[in-house]
Amino acid sequence: MRADTGRLIAAIMDTSDPSPEHAASVQRQIGTVLPALIAHRGEHPGDDLTTELIRGGTRTATGSATRSCCTRCCW
């Protein structure tokens, strides 16, 4: 999972190929890697930002996790 995520980040940050083909390739990778990462973190939660985002929490500037009940009343 970590290697796939690393390759995705590298592909997103790669500005050496501005072609539509490269953009389409990155979009396909996003559509494959991110759902797999979300599923993995749902099954194997950790003390990390991805897990907190999946759970609906947020992290403060100091790194402590907080939770909000929903997006309707807590904005």
Side-chain angles (χ1 to χ4, degrees):
M1 180 57 41
R2 185 174 294 234
D4 291 339
T5 304
R7 282 190 293 274
L8 173 60
I9 292 168
I12 290 170
M13 300 304 292
D14 180 9
T15 59
S16 66
D17 183 359
S19 71
E21 294 80 14
H22 176 72
S25 172
V26 170
Q27 284 293 101
R28 284 190 300 277
Q29 289 178 58
I30 289 170
T32 301
V33 174
L34 289 185
L37 175 62
I38 291 167
H40 178 77
R41 277 295 174 222
E43 295 169 8
H44 307 282
D47 183 25
D48 56 59
L49 180 58
T50 303
T51 299
E52 284 302 317
L53 290 171
I54 292 167
R55 290 178 176 165
T58 59
R59 289 207 178 246
T60 65
T62 61
S64 60
T66 62
R67 298 204 184 233
S68 58
C69 61
C70 64
T71 57
R72 288 171 292 187
C73 63
C74 300
W75 306 15

